[in-house]
Each structure stands twice: as C-alpha cells, then as structure tokens.
Amino acid sequence: MNEQEIWRNFKEGCETSFLLLYREHAPVMYRYGCKLSKDKDLVKDCLQQVYFNLWKNKENLGNPAHTRNYLLKALRLEIIKKSDTKNSPESLPENYHFLTISSCESDLIDLQTDEINQKKIGALLSQLPARQREVIFLKYYMNLSPKEISVVMGLEQASVYKLTYKAIDKLQLLFLKMYTAILLLVFAF
Amino acid sequence: MDYSEYDVADFAADDFFIQWVKNPTAAGNQFWIKWLADNPAKQEAIQEARKLVVILSGDEDKIQDWELDEIWQKLSEARAPYTPAETTGAKVIPLRFWQKRATLVAAALGLLLLVAGFILSKLVHNPPVEYATRYGERRTIQLPDSSVVVLNANSSLTVPAEWTSGKPREVHLKGEAYFSVSHKLNNQKFIVYTSDGIQVEVLGTAFNVSDRGNKSEVVLASGKVRLNIARTGENKQVIMLPGELVEVPDKAGTITKREVNTALYTSWKDNKLVFDNTSLREIATMLEDDYGYTVVFRDTTLADKEITAYLDAGSLDDILVTLSETLDMKITRENKKTIMISNY
C-alpha cells in the first residue's frame, strides 16, 4: 500500500490505515513539535488533537500531495493555536537558553577525541532561535526541499534560505567561541 | 554544479552535499573524491561542512514507544463517539439488558457463566488465523495488540486467535514481512518464528524479516531485537541494533552481521524499490520471490551488472521498463512465467 492508498482508506474509515498513519508519522511530528515548543506535554496534546481532528473530519478532507508535510503543517498550526501567545507564527516562544561555558574542561576532553557527542549537538542546536531550529530540522533531519519547507512554515522560499544561512553562521560562531574558550583554558594552565 | 566558489556554509546548505554526508553512496563518494583531487585547497572547508551537517542533522527529541501508545489510547477514547459501532456492539447490549433486571441477576450470572464457558471452549479450539499473499500482492494487517504488519508478496503470517497476557505474543512467518510492533506497558514480548528455526524476539520496534531462498535475513529499522537461532547442532543468540542486518544461512555457514541502509530493505512496504549498487542477480531473485517469475539471463555476465535507483514499484511492467532503460538491456516477459534478459 502506498501513501495515497492509505490516505484514501483512512478517509473511508479504515482503522488499520488510521493506525498506520499514526505509527508512521507521529514520531517525527513529535520531534518537529519539540522545535516549536519546549513544553513536551503541550506537543503531545497537540499531536493527539491533530489526529482527533483528522478522524472527526475524515469525510471532508482533501488529498494532500504529501501526507507527512500535510501533518507537519497541521501540527504546527495546532501548536501555535494552543500556545498562550498571539495567533501568529512570528510570536512563537523563543525561550532558548544559552550554554554556559563553565563546563570547559569536559568540552576539552570531548573535543580531544574529536567526536562530538549527542549531548553537545543538542546543546549547540538548542542555542539557535526557535525558527532557525525549525528550518534546520525540516531541511537536515526531514530532508525537505526549500519549497516544501516554505509550505509547511508558511514562509517565502527566500526566507527559508535566509534562515538556513543564519543558522549555519550562528553555529560556526558557536563553534569558534567554544574553541576560543578551550584555548584560553589551555593557556591558563 | 560548479562548487569551486563554495565556502563552508555553502557546502553545508547544499542538498547534494547534505545527502552525500548523510547517506553516502558509491556514486557520491566517487564524485567528491574526484572533486577534492581537483580542488585540494577545499579540503578543510569540506571537513568543516561535513561536521556542520552531522550536527545539524542530529535530533534529540525522540518520543518513546510507550508515550506513543499512551497518546493512541487517549485518542481512541476521544474518537470513540465518531467511530461507527462495530459488530462487537451486539455482544454488549444483552448484558446491559440483563443487568437492569435485578430479579434476574442470578439467572443472568448463570447465563453469563455459560456464555463465558462457551467462549473459553471456543478459544481453546479456535484455529489460528492465517494471512497469505499471492505473487505481486501486498497486504497490511493490524494485529489485536495494534501492531502493524505489512506482508510482502508470496508470504504468509499465522497469528493465534488470541494471545494470553503474560505470555509472549507469537506469530509465524513464511516469506517476508515488515513489522511495526507496539510496546506493551507490561513488557510483553513479541516473537516472530521463521520456518527455518529463527526467532526474532522484540519489545517494541520496527524491523524486516525475510526467510526466502536458502537464507534468513533480519533488518532492524529502530528499537532493539534479539535473535534466537536454532540450527542443527547449534543454538545462538544475537543482539541487533538499529541499522544492522543479520544474515543466517539455512545450513551450517557463518552468521554475518553488517550495517546497512535500512531503507534498501524496507522500502518495498511503501511500494518503492531502492537499489544501491544492487546486482541484477539480486533483483532477479526478488522478481522470482515476489512475482513468481523465472528470470533467465541470455548472457550470464549480465547478472553482475549493478544499478543504483529509486523507483515506484507500480506494476511489474513499469519495473521492467525502468530496468531495461537504465541498464540498456532487452528485458521481456516471454509468457506468464519467464522474464528474459539479454543484450540489444
């Protein structure tokens, strides 16, 4: 069964296809949701709501070209709606925290092995503003094209490119900062 | 594409470059090795960009299987009013009817016991359910525990009429299937038995099992599984991690484990075919297993030709046309049983 068949069967009320849609897409939707809000319970609630709406309105749904992108967009709108902020994607909570440089010693040890571990990656990425993280997730993790990203996020394609480059620049800068801090530490001893 | 003016950020944002870092193919390796040989000054930029892509592609926010199941449970309750009553509804109504009449409670209980006894005896004698697919057919099955199985062509899956809680959920497979197993809160195991004595034991995960021809293959997409391999004179256990493939030959022969691009082995379930330096010989085996044809090579050296492609597995004809065009060979269906492959 391919994507379109599953979607058609689901619209006709097929439980298995609905479950398949959930199994196939919910994990990645959750990941995406976590880029939009740091409140994981809110993301879960929204995930449930999106699938609930799907089931409730299944007779009136269209046939999206890409199920996954359609669902990502639906989740995005749901999270924006449920977040306490105003109903605009611009006012998504940008409550990102800054990495403290206090753990330089462990940074040094990690970098000496030249293996950037998962934690560090998470810490670096979490320093990017929410919208940059969102673009990065869609482009690098989900492999969406700039055009697809612009549809999911409701942006111009040009803004997608801009956000991508901004994120890469920022990350390079963070790298540099980390290396400098380590160098200082090395000279201090 | 002219990359000579690219700097680190440009590489890191380039889709062709990203795909190569994330899923290196032989063709990609060849391209970039040659490109670096021509542009040695860019060595450092490429290294830096690779590192960036790896970081950017990472993601920590994984949802646990039990969390997914929890949401699904809540969802099922919430949408119950919007789901048409199924045949099971008929069983519920008589119970309510009897419960309302207090004077008949004793009689109702007696009747219930009878019914329960009847159901129990039926369960004991209930034969297992067998799902089977013909050549060229594919089928998606939802199991009672909400696990999903996609059964590939020419395969069969046997599931007991009922699983006892506390005991492993067991199914028997002949052929090939993709499993997406739901994780139970009580850690109830799920075991797939293949016809050549291999048990795939899981908690909750997604994987592909194939016991076609003279070997069995298990590919793990996510989660963790344990293989119990019982062959003549040997009993072995292998723990598998995501991205690994374990191949078990039927007879003696060594068991091998290697890392693979799991998409190559699981794409059939989405009606896609993915080939990455796959030889025509392997493709012929797939055509024989899944579509029931005998593939004949007019010239045996053709079987060694390799192909890298991603295509829709629409109809068999579509597949053959694509193969023939890509490889520049003559591929014809002689009758309903044979596929001939020859040079033009």
Side-chain angles (χ1 to χ4, degrees):
Chain A
M1 275 208 290
N2 65 20
E3 213 173 64
Q4 270 85 30
E5 281 168 340
I6 292 172
W7 186 261
R8 251 199 323 272
N9 292 342
F10 142 69
K11 287 208 309 185
E12 283 161 13
C14 169
E15 278 276 337
T16 311
S17 300
F18 186 61
L19 179 64
L20 214 59
L21 276 181
Y22 177 76
R23 286 300 196 87
E24 193 86 6
H25 301 292
V28 88
M29 287 167 75
Y30 176 79
R31 282 178 192 270
Y32 179 52
C34 290
K35 307 298 167 295
L36 300 165
S37 168
K38 290 259 150 121
D39 181 350
K40 304 212 158 159
D41 288 327
L42 175 97
V43 175
K44 284 187 194 169
D45 284 348
C46 291
L47 192 60
Q48 190 187 331
Q49 188 67 46
V50 166
Y51 277 94
F52 176 76
N53 293 344
L54 276 184
W55 186 257
K56 202 175 124 194
N57 305 318
K58 56 186 179 298
E59 284 91 6
N60 309 318
L61 293 173
N63 294 312
H66 296 284
T67 314
R68 191 193 53 194
N69 296 0
Y70 173 84
L71 292 172
L72 288 178
K73 194 172 173 182
L75 181 70
R76 182 176 208 276
L77 294 176
E78 194 60 41
I79 289 177
I80 291 169
K81 207 165 96 188
K82 281 228 170 78
S83 301
D84 289 334
T85 44
K86 288 174 220 90
N87 282 358
S88 123
E90 260 61 49
S91 55
L92 270 179
E94 297 217 348
N95 47 350
Y96 52 94
H97 28 250
F98 286 92
L99 181 88
T100 45
I101 309 286
S102 61
S103 58
C104 278
E105 215 159 346
S106 57
D107 283 350
L108 183 64
I109 294 161
D110 288 347
L111 276 173
Q112 275 171 342
T113 59
D114 205 36
E115 283 288 327
I116 301 148
N117 59 35
Q118 277 308 115
K119 272 235 171 63
K120 183 137 297 147
I121 291 170
L124 278 176
L125 284 180
S126 72
Q127 290 183 76
L128 299 176
R131 275 153 60 82
Q132 289 180 24
R133 272 200 325 232
E134 199 183 340
V135 168
I136 292 304
F137 177 80
L138 294 174
K139 181 180 173 74
Y140 291 88
Y141 189 83
M142 303 284 302
N143 301 325
L144 297 198
S145 72
K147 190 163 174 224
E148 289 174 304
I149 298 173
S150 75
V151 173
V152 172
M153 290 182 68
L155 287 176
E156 293 290 319
Q157 265 195 64
S159 314
V160 173
Y161 289 114
K162 240 198 261 169
L163 279 171
T164 311
Y165 269 89
K166 266 192 189 162
I168 294 174
D169 283 343
K170 175 114 196 239
L171 209 62
Q172 276 187 293
L173 202 73
L174 289 172
F175 254 152
L176 204 69
K177 237 162 81 184
M178 212 162 71
Y179 277 116
T180 323
I182 290 158
L183 277 180
L184 285 176
L185 190 85
V186 171
F187 282 122
F189 283 100
Chain B
M1 182 60 100
D2 180 20
Y3 286 111
S4 51
E5 299 296 321
Y6 270 42
D7 67 9
V8 178
D10 295 322
F11 282 119
D14 182 78
D15 286 323
F16 182 64
F17 182 81
I18 296 169
Q19 284 322 308
W20 172 60
V21 174
K22 291 179 65 176
N23 298 307
T25 58
N29 287 340
Q30 214 176 352
F31 175 87
W32 287 107
I33 287 169
K34 186 179 176 313
W35 190 86
L36 267 178
D38 295 341
N39 303 270
K42 293 284 183 183
Q43 181 91 33
E44 216 164 295
I46 295 271
Q47 283 307 332
E48 192 69 11
R50 276 187 67 117
K51 214 190 281 179
L52 276 171
V53 170
V54 170
I55 292 176
L56 291 166
S57 307
D59 189 66
E60 288 211 297
D61 301 308
K62 189 184 183 315
I63 191 164
Q64 300 298 322
D65 284 336
W66 65 266
E67 292 176 296
L68 270 182
D69 287 345
E70 201 177 70
I71 299 174
W72 178 257
Q73 282 304 324
K74 281 195 234 162
L75 185 62
S76 300
E77 283 159 31
R79 70 193 172 90
Y82 299 93
T83 307
E86 284 175 35
T87 41
T88 47
K91 281 183 200 154
V92 177
I93 294 159
L95 284 179
R96 280 201 194 127
F97 173 80
W98 286 109
Q99 277 163 356
K100 275 185 191 159
R101 281 147 182 80
T103 47
L104 289 176
V105 160
L109 275 177
L111 192 72
L112 266 178
L113 274 175
L114 272 177
V115 171
F118 176 63
I119 291 173
L120 256 175
S121 69
K122 249 198 115 174
L123 279 185
V124 171
H125 300 294
N126 244 5
V129 187
E130 186 180 334
Y131 303 92
T133 47
R134 292 185 297 265
Y135 284 122
E137 189 195 14
R138 219 157 274 159
R139 198 168 162 188
T140 306
I141 304 153
Q142 183 183 343
L143 301 180
D145 63 343
S146 86
S147 295
V148 178
V149 181
V150 188
L151 199 58
N152 204 352
N154 178 28
S155 302
S156 77
L157 182 79
T158 312
V159 184
E162 183 107 350
W163 281 313
T164 0
S165 64
K167 282 201 177 154
R169 300 166 275 170
E170 297 177 338
V171 297
H172 288 81
L173 172 75
K174 267 187 209 132
E176 180 169 25
Y178 178 86
F179 292 86
S180 174
V181 174
S182 71
H183 184 211
K184 291 288 172 196
L185 280 177
N186 64 359
N187 287 336
Q188 188 184 12
K189 281 180 193 159
F190 187 102
I191 303 180
V192 183
Y193 291 84
T194 71
S195 51
D196 24 285
I198 293 170
Q199 296 170 26
V200 187
E201 193 177 305
V202 286
L203 291 176
T205 195
F207 58 97
N208 197 74
V209 182
S210 148
D211 77 341
R212 299 206 191 276
N214 50 8
K215 63 177 185 191
S216 287
E217 252 180 22
V218 180
V219 175
L220 184 59
S222 67
K224 195 174 175 184
V225 308
R226 181 166 70 192
L227 305 186
N228 298 321
I229 301 161
R231 296 187 301 181
T232 33
E234 123 180 277
N235 238 327
K236 243 184 146 168
Q237 292 200 335
V238 179
I239 300 281
M240 285 181 73
L241 297 174
E244 285 183 342
L245 175 149
V246 170
E247 189 183 309
V248 187
D250 267 359
K251 302 276 156 47
T254 24
I255 299 165
T256 51
K257 179 152 100 172
R258 60 180 192 268
E259 286 213 13
V260 295
N261 177 359
T262 56
L264 299 181
Y265 297 86
T266 59
S267 56
W268 62 264
K269 80 178 163 58
D270 307 315
N271 259 349
K272 298 269 195 284
L273 288 176
V274 181
F275 301 129
D276 182 24
N277 287 327
T278 311
S279 73
L280 207 46
R281 182 178 294 107
E282 288 169 81
I283 296 173
T285 310
M286 184 274 289
L287 292 174
E288 290 179 344
D289 285 340
D290 290 359
Y291 294 92
Y293 281 79
T294 308
V295 180
V296 180
F297 291 96
R298 278 274 163 76
D299 174 353
T300 47
T301 58
L302 292 178
D304 294 320
K305 289 258 196 248
E306 289 179 345
I307 180 169
T308 296
Y310 181 85
L311 47 124
D312 273 312
S315 67
L316 180 59
D317 281 324
D318 293 343
I319 300 172
L320 296 183
V321 166
T322 314
L323 284 177
S324 130
E325 279 171 2
T326 322
L327 292 163
D328 198 23
M329 286 174 193
K330 197 172 159 196
I331 303 181
T332 48
R333 266 211 267 185
E334 293 293 309
N335 41 45
K336 289 207 161 144
K337 288 203 182 80
T338 321
I339 295 170
M340 290 292 240
I341 302 182
S342 60
N343 276 314
Y344 274 114

